[in-house]
Amino acid sequence: MTSPLTAEPPSSVIVDSDFVVILAALLCALICVIGLVAVARCAWLRRTTGGSNFHSSSQPPANKGLKKKILRSLPKLTFNDSLKGKLVDCAICLTEFGDEDEIRILPQCGHGFHVGCIDTWLGSHSSCPSCRQILVVPRCQKCGGFPASSGEDAESEAEMKAREDDINQFLP
């Protein structure tokens, strides 16, 4: 009589070790391919949607800078004694305004900067460097219109068409 410890295992339990290694390697390769496909898909979606989360309407407009035409339309002032109480220094270069310095005061927020400093900033950003308020309303890429207002001050259709004649409009 044979003891249970020396009994040979059934033939269905015997598995070739090479088969297990190959199966494990194939499983690892499959997981790697699925991971690479997921990363590639994510990168492609970010590139085609501009980084937004699947065309989410709650995302702020892209901060790509102002066109030169809009930049030139911002008013320039010469710093003088009447502005000394309101403006002290340029938040971009961190130097105090001197007499006869040429400055720009942004119409939406009232922050002032040296013309050279703010022009460089607004060439690559469309917001105030101090408070980050967006300076222009971009057009919709799909319909060419402007974003809907919150309903507080409804505009007539004639006023909307007049606004749509210009590509970028300053916020009130």
Side-chain angles (χ1 to χ4, degrees):
M1 193 164 169
T2 61
S3 72
L5 296 177
T6 60
E8 292 189 23
S11 62
S12 63
V13 176
I14 298 175
V15 180
D16 190 17
S17 63
D18 290 339
F19 180 73
V20 172
V21 171
I22 291 172
L23 190 61
L26 288 175
L27 183 63
C28 288
L30 179 66
I31 291 172
C32 288
V33 167
I34 290 172
L36 287 174
V37 167
V39 168
R41 183 173 183 264
C42 181
W44 181 77
L45 285 174
R46 288 191 75 146
R47 197 166 113 184
T48 59
T49 61
S52 67
N53 293 333
F54 304 104
H55 301 289
S56 172
S57 62
S58 66
Q59 294 291 325
N63 201 356
K64 295 183 179 179
L66 300 181
K67 294 183 179 181
K68 291 188 184 220
K69 175 183 162 188
I70 302 292
L71 191 59
R72 279 183 257 134
S73 71
L74 290 172
K76 290 183 190 177
L77 297 172
T78 302
F79 189 77
N80 55 31
D81 291 336
S82 65
L83 296 173
K84 281 189 181 179
K86 298 175 188 173
L87 302 172
V88 178
D89 60 357
C90 175
I92 297 173
C93 68
L94 303 176
T95 59
E96 290 186 7
F97 293 120
D99 290 336
E100 306 301 316
D101 277 354
E102 205 170 34
I103 62 171
R104 284 195 201 274
I105 297 178
L106 301 180
Q108 288 75 16
C109 59
H111 291 120
F113 309 94
H114 290 113
V115 170
C117 297
I118 195 64
D119 287 357
T120 302
W121 173 268
L122 292 175
S124 59
H125 300 82
S126 59
S127 63
C128 172
S130 293
C131 64
R132 300 293 188 179
Q133 182 174 353
I134 301 294
L135 300 177
V136 294
V137 177
R139 282 184 177 234
C140 174
Q141 296 294 328
K142 292 181 181 176
C143 66
F146 292 101
S149 64
S150 60
E152 294 173 358
D153 54 334
E155 295 179 317
S156 69
E157 282 190 38
E159 290 172 343
M160 286 296 284
K161 288 192 185 263
R163 282 184 63 196
E164 289 178 2
D165 289 339
D166 193 19
I167 293 175
N168 291 313
Q169 295 290 322
F170 288 105
L171 292 172

